[in-house]
Amino acid sequence: MGGSRMIKTRCLERFLEFDDGQLANELFGPQGENLRRIGERCGVSAQSRGSKVILAAEDEAGLSVAESALIQLYGQLRAGRKVYPQDVERALTVLSREPSAQLEEVFREEVFAVAPRRTVAPKSQNQRVYLEAVRSSDLTFGIGPAGTGKTYLAVAMAVQALTSRQVQRLILTRPAVEAGEKLGFLPGDLAEKINPYLRPLYDALHDLLDFRRVQDMLATGVIEVAPLAFMRGRTLNEAFIILDEAQNTTPEQMKMFLTRLGFGSKAVVTGDVTQIDLPSHAKSGLVQAVKVLDGVEGVSFIHFNDADVIRHPLVGRIVQAYERSETAAGRR
């Protein structure tokens, strides 16, 4: 029970007491935000009194999820792991789907710690499977909506491979045409034209590595961030290669990219097939690759869904509010 004990139980009500008041306060969150969120998501009344929590509900399933989430998250705190709002959200999502799930297993696998302030770990079962696939496969496809960690986790795995000398260089690439825009119509020289398309990849790198170290690696070519067109005609050996926003590749571009893979290299392809920005007459290389490469040895496909989206709790509430508004407007 991770240092917690149930001191009284009766139908549709739970009384929990935690043995460390400071950790209990961390668990409940600033102004009780985590506790309030657990109550809202599970449909229970959650009241704290010191290090005690009183849970009450009309639904046994929601009550059990709230109780399990509190006990297991407290266990994570006792083990020395910080619990952030997104961890609470992930715990509730996992336990709602699988009440017997062990959060320790979900949170246990840390990809790597690049600095004392930054540790990367899977937040869902699909993220865990994704990381395992990247480790074991030469080519992995991560397909799903924005916010599921497809690109960020891929960059994290790539940085780990680079810093542990499993590969000699890291190559990050994206197609440089989105939402119908053409590079020639953008201001500036070529570097300035393509930079906005590659900015999300730079952001991930700077979040995982010291800024100066990233700049040094970019200057020496150890890390390369380039538009997809720059991959043509190359053979990439001992490299970790990530193709991001792959839904915006044509079949010809996708085939070109996949045939760049050299000895000792690993590739990850990420994209969202519901957000294709190609002209209406063009086919998506990612959609075709899913069909063509199905069953090919050494290729893994991981499909993410809305349950894997990691959002700030406020963003989640904003999305829900808009969905309710759009539903109401549709009814009218």
Side-chain angles (χ1 to χ4, degrees):
M1 301 286 283
S4 64
R5 61 189 178 92
M6 191 183 303
I7 61 177
K8 187 178 180 182
T9 303
R10 67 178 185 230
C11 184
L12 301 184
E13 197 168 34
R14 300 288 189 273
F15 292 77
L16 299 175
E17 183 176 6
F18 301 97
D19 59 7
D20 186 316
Q22 183 175 347
L23 290 182
N25 285 333
E26 288 187 41
L27 173 65
F28 303 157
Q31 288 80 51
E33 172 65 19
N34 292 343
L35 194 60
R36 184 190 63 78
R37 188 59 180 161
I38 289 172
E40 285 183 355
R41 282 285 301 272
C42 298
V44 306
S45 169
Q47 303 294 328
S48 63
R49 296 178 181 174
S51 60
K52 300 177 183 178
V53 177
I54 304 172
L55 301 175
E58 298 178 359
D59 178 68
E60 178 67 33
L63 196 63
S64 296
V65 169
E67 177 187 9
S68 181
L70 284 166
I71 291 173
Q72 293 199 60
L73 288 171
Y74 183 73
Q76 291 292 297
L77 286 167
R78 282 183 61 85
R81 186 186 187 279
K82 290 287 186 182
V83 171
Y84 299 99
Q86 58 264 36
D87 296 322
V88 177
E89 291 286 333
R90 181 52 47 198
L92 294 171
T93 299
V94 170
L95 291 170
S96 295
R97 286 198 309 250
E98 187 180 347
S100 62
Q102 297 299 308
L103 296 183
E104 180 182 5
E105 295 180 4
V106 174
F107 294 147
R108 182 194 308 162
E109 185 182 22
E110 295 181 351
V111 181
F112 65 99
V114 297
R117 64 178 180 83
R118 179 61 59 187
T119 299
V120 178
K123 301 291 186 182
S124 72
Q125 183 60 27
N126 277 339
Q127 288 191 355
R128 173 179 288 277
V129 172
Y130 182 54
L131 295 181
E132 291 173 350
V134 173
R135 284 198 178 93
S136 60
S137 303
D138 289 333
L139 174 60
T140 302
F141 286 80
I143 303 168
T148 53
K150 306 182 302 294
T151 301
Y152 189 87
L153 289 174
V155 175
M157 292 294 287
V159 170
Q160 181 190 37
L162 183 63
T163 55
S164 62
R165 296 184 172 84
Q166 297 173 39
V167 296
Q168 297 300 311
R169 52 184 172 156
L170 167 56
I171 299 173
L172 309 176
T173 185
R174 290 179 124 199
V177 177
E178 298 180 3
E181 295 176 352
K182 303 294 184 182
L183 290 176
F185 291 97
L186 298 177
D189 59 22
L190 181 59
E192 292 170 329
K193 290 176 190 290
I194 65 176
N195 193 59
Y197 296 99
L198 304 174
R199 178 50 52 191
L201 298 174
Y202 284 111
D203 289 343
L205 281 174
H206 290 143
D207 196 43
L208 293 162
L209 287 170
D210 176 79
F211 181 84
R212 184 179 296 277
R213 191 174 185 189
V214 172
Q215 296 308 113
D216 290 343
M217 288 181 169
L218 286 168
T220 57
V222 174
I223 295 178
E224 179 181 348
V225 184
L228 181 58
F230 285 23
M231 299 296 107
R232 190 173 300 278
R234 303 173 64 182
T235 299
L236 305 172
N237 296 314
E238 298 186 2
F240 197 119
I241 314 149
I242 298 173
L243 170 58
D244 191 35
E245 296 290 341
Q247 75 274 8
N248 290 325
T249 63
T250 64
E252 294 77 17
Q253 288 175 324
M254 178 62 75
K255 181 179 179 181
M256 178 273 292
F257 171 80
L258 295 177
T259 54
R260 300 308 92 202
L261 198 63
F263 291 106
S265 289
K266 186 183 290 286
V268 178
V269 177
T270 68
D272 178 2
V273 295
T274 69
Q275 298 291 328
I276 298 173
D277 296 317
L278 293 168
S280 58
H281 64 275
K283 295 181 179 180
S284 168
L286 178 59
V287 173
Q288 185 191 59
V290 172
K291 299 175 182 177
V292 172
L293 300 179
D294 183 36
V296 173
E297 184 179 355
V299 181
S300 295
F301 291 93
I302 309 302
H303 294 271
F304 295 91
N305 54 53
D306 290 338
D308 297 301
V309 175
I310 308 297
R311 295 187 178 106
H312 186 288
L314 177 58
V315 176
R317 294 195 288 273
I318 291 172
V319 170
Q320 292 170 6
Y322 271 97
E323 288 175 347
R324 289 194 298 270
S325 175
E326 291 166 0
T327 300
R331 288 172 182 164
R332 291 194 296 270

